[in-house]
Amino acid sequence: MTARKSLLKVILLGDGGVGKSSIMNRYVTNKFDAHLFHTIGVEFLNKTLEVDGNQVTLQIWDTAGQERFRSLRTPFYRGSDCCLLTFSVDDNQSFLNLSNWKKEFIYYADVKEPENFPFVVLGNKVDVTERQVSSEEARLWCQENGDYPYFETSAKDATNVAVAFEEAVHRALAADDKADHLIPTDTVKLHRKPRSATACCS
Amino acid sequence: MTSTACDCPAFLKCDAQSLRSVEGSTPRILSKCIFSLEEETHDRPLRITYGWAHAAGLKEVRGEGDPTRNGICYFYPEETPLDKQDLLCGQLAGVGRCVSELSSSSVQTLRLRRCKFAIRMKEDFFWALGCSMEVPSDSVCELLDHLINLFCFYNGSVRQSYQLNSKESLAAEWARYLFHVLSGPSELHYILRSLRTIDLTNVDPLLLLKAALILQACQRCPLVLAGCVLFRGRAVSTQMPPQLTMKVMVHESKTYTKTQRLSEASPPSSDGGPVSSTAVFLTPSELQYLQAAPVDKTSRSHSTQEKDAPPKKTRLSRTLSDTPSSESEPSHPVSRQSPQKLSFSPHLSGSEDSVFSPVPSQSTADSPNPSPVSPVRPFSNGGNSHETVEKTLDESHYHSFHSSGDEVSQIHNEADGSVFEENLYLNGGGLGGDATCETSFEVRGADCGNDLLRDDQMAAGEVEVSCSKVRGHKAETKWPPPVSCAVDSLEESPLIPMMLYMHRVNSLVLALLVEPRFMSDTASMEEVNHSSLASLNGLEAHLRAISPAAPGAAGPYLFAHYDSIQSTLTTNVSGRPGGAPEHPFVRATSLLHSHFFDTETLQEAIIRSAGTAVYGTRTVAHETYFQQHGGSVRNSGIPNQQDSAFSLPSKARHRLLKHRVNLL
């Protein structure tokens, strides 16, 4: 038994077709399927990682990007530890929609302090030659919206996918620690492991 | 008691002594499988209780003086004294054989005083399943067929099973199937044998699509024949015919209870999930059905022999609503078999009997040992109510509307008490009875032994037998064809071994029928796992988040809507204890269903008592029953236009729309 075992919920949001499911599959199974059907509602996969000597189960939630699936996906935002806002570098509209995705997440996940919540931005499909969103544009948006880390990924050729998830894990753990520090030191921690408790009920 | 359920009734009288001699003179009956109904209890009119005795490999009974008990393989209730088992088995087998030889047709049902027995005879095997008289004959026959088919699905041929296994271990199998069959939520499920599906009222249809897509994704692996997705023991989506899905669900309920116990010890994990498998056996027609359904093979993986599977017409979805098109190419059962896979051809052993002959000598080298079957695990949530009070319709009037619509034939039945028993004999008696070729016999035994089921009842044994030839045209009207009826398993064709692969994610199960070598093909297993795991996790999360529909008040009406093609039942009859007001409805449904089954041309009917009325209507695909509560039924006993019973059809149309039942 390691000193700290926890479950981290990471959620992928973004327009339909930007490659959220492919990113998840690439990271967890290291496979790429060019003919995936639209995700309906939500899906998730677990991956166990070792971070700073701690066992962490990363639960990656993949969501449906299409508007018509909104009512199916939004109930599952709650409880996320990190949100991966995803767009496709060959689709400018998906980039412009990032703000909407952020808003939707903050609203439905009921985030108490949106400015401190760990978001990570992914620009997927960098293997495509005809880009519509430049690297600079994306970085600028990230800087202006809360200094989010930005990764240019390709699920197809596995570029930066693992790095992006590792960063998400670190951000989530850091935010977690920060929240722990906010607790006054003279209180008794009755809920030392809240996440593993909820996992039992799933 | 006379019978009018046939065109050419015949009567047979024999006493217990002659029954014995009949049995003794039929050495070919080597084995018997008897389900007898325990005596009927009055707290639950349609309660089915069983005795099932099965006598296999009964060499000892060949001689005149050999005791029947040596041939009894299974009898339910198991605690029944051997003498009683003996007596009942001897009588049923004797009468069954005698009648079938006299009439040159197989015996379907047999009446023994207050019990009705479905009979199946094949070579030296004999089965009987008994139930109360109120259960429609076709329902009890279907139930028996279902039990036999379940056994064959999980164990292969009956004869070989009894050659390889002890009576005791197979008795546990029979008990398990009986228990499963009996665990239906309400009595209606005995009458209208249906697949238990999830309650669709709160489920987003997109989730059904999601389930269907999971199954499709799995079929990209050529070793996967078809599958179904089950949630909490109910079907969400299936690519298999309903009868086959029902069989698969028996295994699911077993693993479900097992997993429930395990999950108490350790928290459930959603990565990987427990994967299990068991050997199963398909009938040739089942296999043909599964292979005939077009699969988008172009998108199938190239990892395994794709050239074996000729590309067929593609189809977007093979969900519940998707019926096979008649113009689809004929399937070639052998075409997909690689040389090393199956060492037999259906034609070679065509003369052999499917159920009763040994399994074709298929090389087991490429298939792992089937997981041993574990003992019965009672299905925990299948409660039967015993605390309900029987209510009879004191006075009933039977109205039937023929398809012509104008003519209304009305039959008054002023029987006191046993209305249904009486009404059963209306079947075919002028109501288009020529639709079925059924023969009924009645046997009165002056004294057929002492205490068969209940001493006083059985003192003067009274037996009625009905034989029927295969209802050819009946089968034709069913679409898609009933692939796993009794005829299927009893006809002469070999059973094909397959594997049932199950992947569980908490309460959700993905069940796939796969070729035996799938289990040893790591690449294929991985591919299926990868293509389905995330979606299964998600679907489970979605379905779990759906709050169960509030049971709520039953409302001012009762209804049951049966889809005979998909074998689904939609009803607001709860079957819970204390549902006494539902009993008249269930009994009326039973009677109407019986009439619909026997009378092909009958489309609408109302059955009524002084206090209430039940309306029934059917089409080729559906049967719907409706009863309105409250309101005074104006009934003068003679046909009357003001009679409120006549407004039932329009009320049913109106009320049932919100249950997605369209009677227009």
Side-chain angles (χ1 to χ4, degrees), chain B residues 130-353:
Chain B
C131 64
S132 76
M133 288 305 302
E134 290 161 5
V135 179
S137 296
D138 68 296
S139 301
V140 65
C141 287
E142 268 184 43
L143 219 52
L144 178 55
D145 294 339
H146 183 57
L147 281 166
I148 300 170
N149 287 332
L150 270 177
F151 184 91
C152 296
F153 183 67
Y154 287 106
N155 300 281
S157 89
V158 176
R159 170 171 293 151
Q160 201 197 29
S161 297
Y162 275 94
Q163 283 167 350
L164 297 176
N165 301 290
S166 68
K167 269 188 197 178
E168 289 71 30
S169 66
L170 292 174
E173 287 297 292
W174 287 117
R176 179 180 149 213
Y177 307 134
L178 264 178
F179 189 87
H180 181 82
V181 167
L182 284 179
S183 65
S186 75
E187 293 147 6
L188 272 180
H189 288 77
Y190 303 138
I191 301 160
L192 307 165
R193 275 213 58 69
S194 54
L195 186 64
R196 289 157 79 181
T197 55
I198 55 165
D199 182 6
L200 295 177
T201 46
N202 285 345
V203 175
D204 192 322
L206 282 169
L207 295 180
L208 303 181
L209 175 63
K210 188 176 178 70
L213 287 172
I214 292 172
L215 294 173
Q216 272 198 322
C218 293
Q219 280 189 318
R220 288 158 74 178
C221 170
L223 297 180
V224 174
L225 284 174
C228 62
V229 174
L230 312 170
F231 183 71
R232 289 181 181 154
R234 291 170 175 269
V236 180
S237 179
T238 182
Q239 296 173 321
M240 301 181 276
Q243 297 294 328
L244 194 50
T245 312
M246 285 183 210
K247 294 183 195 175
V248 168
M249 287 169 80
V250 173
H251 186 68
E252 195 277 337
S253 69
K254 192 182 79 176
T255 60
Y256 181 46
T257 44
K258 205 188 279 175
T259 317
Q260 274 192 322
R261 275 180 291 125
L262 288 175
S263 63
E264 287 166 13
S266 61
S269 63
S270 41
D271 52 346
V275 169
S276 63
S277 67
T278 188
V280 295
F281 299 84
L282 296 184
T283 64
S285 60
E286 282 171 343
L287 184 66
Q288 192 176 356
Y289 178 94
L290 297 178
Q291 291 180 334
V295 177
D296 184 2
K297 296 219 171 61
T298 53
S299 70
R300 283 192 160 194
S301 70
H302 300 259
S303 61
T304 26
Q305 76 320 12
E306 191 179 280
K307 48 196 167 294
D308 288 344
K312 291 173 186 171
K313 268 195 303 185
T314 60
R315 183 179 294 259
L316 178 64
S317 173
R318 303 203 312 167
T319 55
L320 275 172
S321 59
D322 206 1
T323 51
S325 60
S326 53
E327 71 268 26
S328 65
E329 300 164 45
S331 70
H332 307 284
V334 203
S335 66
R336 287 184 58 203
Q337 294 165 358
S338 54
Q340 38 96 353
K341 196 181 80 197
L342 296 173
S343 60
F344 71 92
S345 124
H347 307 292
L348 288 178
S349 42
S351 61
E352 285 289 316
D353 181 285

Side-chain angles (χ1 to χ4, degrees), chain A residues 51-111:
Chain A
V51 182
D52 304 332
N54 296 322
Q55 285 280 102
V56 174
T57 301
L58 187 59
Q59 194 166 81
I60 303 162
W61 287 70
D62 171 32
T63 59
Q66 283 77 11
E67 182 58 29
R68 63 178 178 278
F69 298 133
R70 180 203 281 258
S71 64
L72 276 177
R73 69 175 177 246
T74 50
F76 295 93
Y77 291 1
R78 204 173 275 272
S80 300
D81 297 289
C82 181
C83 177
L84 299 173
L85 296 172
T86 313
F87 70 96
S88 170
V89 294
D90 69 341
D91 177 4
N92 194 47
Q93 190 57 48
S94 72
F95 174 66
L96 296 176
N97 284 338
L98 282 185
S99 308
N100 297 330
W101 283 108
K102 187 182 160 186
K103 267 185 234 159
E104 182 179 299
F105 176 77
I106 288 171
Y107 179 79
Y108 286 103
D110 199 17
V111 177

Side-chain angles (χ1 to χ4, degrees), chain B residues 534-552:
Chain B
S535 307
L536 287 173
N537 285 338
L539 184 60
E540 204 271 340
H542 279 296
L543 292 175
R544 190 155 32 90
I546 295 167
S547 54

Side-chain angles (χ1 to χ4, degrees), chain B residues 351-622:
Chain B
S351 61
E352 285 289 316
D353 181 285
S354 70
V355 181
F356 307 99
S357 64
V359 187
S361 59
Q362 195 233 347
S363 59
T364 49
D366 55 344
S367 67
N369 285 335
S371 51
V373 189
S374 58
V376 199
R377 199 75 235 156
F379 198 66
S380 54
N381 53 1
N384 289 340
S385 72
H386 300 276
E387 299 146 22
T388 46
V389 186
E390 181 185 24
K391 267 191 171 178
T392 54
L393 301 164
D394 294 325
E395 187 184 14
S396 86
H397 302 269
Y398 185 83
H399 308 267
S400 73
F401 304 88
H402 286 268
S403 47
S404 58
D406 301 321
E407 283 181 13
V408 178
S409 73
Q410 190 176 48
I411 297 152
H412 292 267
N413 188 352
E414 315 265 323
D416 49 341
S418 59
V419 168
F420 288 85
E421 193 163 325
E422 294 286 319
N423 276 343
L424 280 172
Y425 302 109
L426 295 176
N427 296 0
L431 297 175
D434 51 347
T436 59
C437 48
E438 217 177 51
T439 325
S440 275
F441 297 86
E442 181 179 309
V443 181
R444 284 176 196 272
D447 180 6
C448 67
N450 31 37
D451 43 4
L452 245 191
L453 295 173
R454 186 193 286 176
D455 299 15
D456 51 345
Q457 280 183 16
M458 288 302 160
E462 187 180 8
V463 183
E464 182 189 317
V465 188
S466 85
C467 305
S468 72
K469 314 235 182 209
V470 179
R471 302 171 183 220
H473 60 289
K474 198 101 194 168
E476 282 165 16
T477 59
K478 300 224 179 183
W479 180 258
V483 290
S484 57
C485 58
V487 182
D488 214 12
S489 61
L490 298 175
E491 78 193 0
E492 297 177 353
S493 47
L495 293 170
I496 302 105
M498 286 286 160
M499 291 300 282
L500 179 61
Y501 164 96
M502 289 210 167
H503 182 160
R504 172 177 294 281
V505 177
N506 297 332
S507 301
L508 189 78
V509 166
L510 168 71
L512 300 173
L513 284 172
V514 296
E515 308 249 2
R517 67 206 156 93
F518 174 83
M519 301 311 297
S520 52
D521 188 335
T522 323
S524 295
M525 291 221 345
E526 215 169 72
E527 182 193 341
V528 165
N529 193 40
H530 282 162
S531 64
S532 62
L533 182 57
S535 307
L536 287 173
N537 285 338
L539 184 60
E540 204 271 340
H542 279 296
L543 292 175
R544 190 155 32 90
I546 295 167
S547 54
Y557 57 90
L558 289 171
F559 81 98
H561 178 70
Y562 179 66
D563 184 323
S564 54
I565 289 175
Q566 297 185 359
S567 286
T568 55
L569 179 64
T570 315
T571 179
N572 63 351
V573 172
S574 64
R576 283 190 296 269
E582 295 172 350
H583 280 145
F585 176 73
V586 173
R587 299 185 70 191
T589 299
S590 167
L591 177 60
L592 288 170
H593 170 73
S594 212
H595 275 273
F596 284 141
F597 183 81
D598 290 333
T599 316
E600 295 252 332
T601 50
L602 185 62
Q603 290 187 333
E604 284 185 294
I606 292 174
I607 182 169
R608 68 183 308 174
S609 68
T612 187
V614 175
Y615 167 70
T617 179
R618 70 107 170 255
T619 62
V620 178
H622 301 113

